[in-house]
Amino acid sequence: MVHRTVFASVLTLLFFVPAFPQLILIGRDQEIEIGKEVAAQLEREYGVWDDPEQTRRIERIGKSLVAVCERKDMPYTFKILNERKELNAMAAPGGFIYITRALLEALDNDDEVAFVLGHEIGHVAGDHIRKQLSQAIAASILLDILTARSSQLIRIGSDIMFSLYQSGYSRQHERDADTRGVRYMKAAGYNPTAAITALRKLGTERYKGLVRWFGTHPDIPSRIQRIAEMLGVDPETLQPLPQGASIGNPPERTATLFFLADNAVFRMPPKSSQPQKIWQLEKQRVESFQVSDDGKTIWMLIRREGSEIVQLAIWREGSKKTEFTASLYADRILNLSRSPNGKYLAALANQGGKSFVKVFDEKGNEVAMPDRTPLGEVSAIQWTADNKLLIFTERFRELSVAVWSPNETVRFVSTSDSSLPIQTAVLDQQTLLVLTGTTLKRGRIDRETLQWEPVASPVKGFAASGKSLALVKDGDLQVGNLSGQDWQGSVIDSRDGEFSELTFSRDGQWLAYTYRSKPSDPPQLWLAHVPSKRLWRIAVNATKPVFAER
């Protein structure tokens, strides 16, 4: 980039003087003459890439955008600067639009090029350049320039423009240029979501150190979020957002939300909208975790990379060390569940194709379970409201439920169901919900048997809290109440994709869940306010939501 010596007073006035922000003292002809001077210097510095095909391409795209912009009185030209390292684009006064060869080659398609060119056209059409120049010239120290020779005005104007390229436009002008660029894309028939992919692509590792474009176009993440909200799409998947959805900044809540992301434990306190990383160990993967009611203790089952051993670790707020209290061999951890009184943890794991159950106390010590009575092939575990552990199992080719509590023997209860559940939940002291296949069923616990009645179908997952019930039914995420024998619910998220890991806060006001638009996508963590049915995306590549409430 060409550097020019500019009076310190001019720079100060350009970036800090708030006077006459809308006053335009530069006429059309003067703007064009200043632009010619700036363009000539840019072309001397970089040279123009002599590729007829690519030149015709950007001229075609640029002219289609000019045709729908607000200001057509400029002799717009579009050229490629022969710069192979700097990812940059710029607009000189008068409509001289440039993109570097490096940036053009980094963009994948015409839609992405249209956003870059449309953004620069937006600076011209929005009079951002003339306003910046006029703001400096309006100061008393430069008022005599207006009556001086035209060549002096052009020289000062070109000096100011190069200072602007070094320091950048204001946030307001950048936002306006983004808005205009996206609007031009839509009007000219380009895919506006390419604005997001273009910005996102420029943030990848392979362009670090070369991102000159970022120097004059700051704050990329917030710009992506703003464009996504303007288009009503998810910036990660580019899919339409459901009604009432927002990206981040949920309101205050009564519960703290914990979750896993990138092998770290995060929490989002009730009065915060920004998750905080609170635990991570290098080369350790968290398989599952539970949190105390006050959120100050976390029990984790973690595995070192490549190890068959899973360790029970305890993190306590304020402690500098993580406690490692027990270990077990397991290929997979299927569930880690905490008893309602907070005194016990039950883990369901699988090793060599066989499932087994381990119970630990709150200090991390293993609690002995009867070993003379085989539990059989366990499919699910569930604590009851009175702190008994239900173990759903198939033993001796019969389905049954083992009922166990510390210091007691195992009692088996037969069940009328024909298949083992894949998910369970407790509604009250005697009522259970289970998902077998795709049917959600309700049953009551007594001394001898469990009798089930269907509630809803087809269901792929559910969560319950009191009378509040959330279901993944008919491909939609629904919430409602279970009153009597009838399920009454309404859809809160109807996007195509997969909803899983549904988790209610204790008061039933908030529902956390993960969403994937397709199986290969990283899971997104979403938070729903049940009464208002408003949604917020909390994190990307995040799992295992857990609420903690004092």
Side-chain angles (χ1 to χ4, degrees), residues 442 467 481-488:
R442 174 172 50 188
K467 291 185 178 180
N481 294 315
L482 188 58
S483 178
Q485 295 184 354
D486 298 325
W487 152 250
Q488 299 176 347

Side-chain angles (χ1 to χ4, degrees), residues 32-312:
I32 293 172
E33 289 304 314
I34 293 172
K36 287 180 179 178
E37 175 73 13
V38 173
Q41 294 183 56
L42 285 171
E43 293 180 22
R44 283 196 298 268
E45 175 75 10
Y46 290 109
V48 175
W49 187 27
D50 185 18
D51 185 312
E53 181 179 353
Q54 291 298 327
T55 299
R56 286 193 297 270
R57 178 190 178 203
I58 66 163
E59 288 177 345
R60 169 179 52 80
I61 297 171
K63 289 178 180 178
S64 70
L65 299 168
V66 169
V68 295
C69 81
E70 299 87 349
R71 192 178 181 201
K72 303 180 179 65
D73 63 331
M74 293 290 103
Y76 288 93
T77 62
F78 299 88
K79 294 183 180 181
I80 307 166
L81 295 177
N82 194 25
E83 165 56 45
R84 302 294 298 273
K85 293 184 178 180
E86 289 187 6
L87 304 182
N88 210 339
M90 60 203 74
F96 298 89
I97 309 296
Y98 292 94
I99 183 172
T100 63
R101 180 177 175 180
L103 179 53
L104 182 62
E105 291 176 342
L107 302 173
D108 285 340
N109 49 55
D110 286 1
D111 297 308
E112 292 181 349
V113 174
F115 169 68
V116 172
L117 299 181
H119 177 97
E120 300 305 328
I121 293 170
H123 281 309
V124 178
D127 278 328
H128 303 157
I129 298 171
R130 288 203 295 176
K131 289 173 183 176
Q132 292 276 36
L133 292 171
S134 298
Q135 184 175 337
I137 293 171
S140 59
I141 193 172
L142 295 176
L143 284 177
D144 61 323
I145 295 176
L146 295 176
T147 58
R149 291 173 301 173
S150 177
S151 60
Q152 186 178 1
L153 177 61
I154 293 168
R155 179 179 60 79
I156 295 295
S158 62
D159 282 341
I160 292 173
M161 280 309 304
F162 279 106
S163 297
L164 175 61
Y165 291 148
Q166 294 296 316
S167 301
Y169 291 96
S170 68
R171 289 182 181 272
Q172 179 181 352
H173 285 168
E174 289 294 352
R175 288 194 295 266
D176 186 51
D178 279 345
T179 300
R180 292 173 186 270
V182 171
R183 188 166 66 241
Y184 303 156
M185 291 174 71
K186 294 172 68 175
Y190 296 100
N191 182 357
T193 62
I196 296 172
T197 61
L199 290 172
R200 193 166 62 199
K201 185 182 289 91
L202 292 169
T204 59
E205 287 288 333
R206 66 191 177 109
Y207 294 122
K208 283 191 175 179
L210 303 177
V211 285
R212 180 68 190 159
W213 202 64
F214 284 127
T216 56
H217 299 71
D219 202 15
I220 295 298
S222 65
R223 289 173 63 196
I224 289 176
Q225 180 169 324
R226 183 175 176 274
I227 291 172
E229 291 177 349
M230 182 169 59
L231 297 175
V233 300
D234 185 331
E236 296 297 326
T237 66
L238 304 183
Q239 299 297 316
L241 289 171
Q243 185 176 1
S246 180
I247 307 297
N249 299 324
E252 292 186 11
R253 306 162 304 283
T254 59
T256 299
L257 178 63
F258 292 78
F259 61 90
L260 300 181
D262 299 320
N263 291 326
V265 180
F266 287 78
R267 71 178 170 193
M268 191 168 69
K271 295 184 179 181
S272 173
S273 61
Q274 296 299 319
Q276 311 161 351
K277 183 192 295 186
I278 61 172
W279 187 93
Q280 186 175 35
L281 282 181
E282 187 178 355
K283 297 183 180 180
Q284 301 277 2
R285 184 176 75 248
V286 182
E287 303 267 321
S288 192
F289 76 103
Q290 282 291 317
V291 183
S292 62
D293 290 342
D294 61 7
K296 294 183 178 181
T297 303
I298 302 176
W299 297 269
M300 298 170 284
L301 290 175
I302 65 175
R303 186 195 306 271
R304 178 172 287 276
E305 291 180 4
S307 175
E308 296 180 357
I309 300 175
V310 176
Q311 293 181 294
L312 176 61

Side-chain angles (χ1 to χ4, degrees), residues 470-472 475-479 490-493 499 502 511 513:
L471 303 179
V472 181
D476 298 329
L477 179 58
Q478 306 179 19
V479 294
S490 57
V491 175
I492 63 169
D493 198 335
F499 304 101
L502 281 57
L511 176 71
Y513 60 97

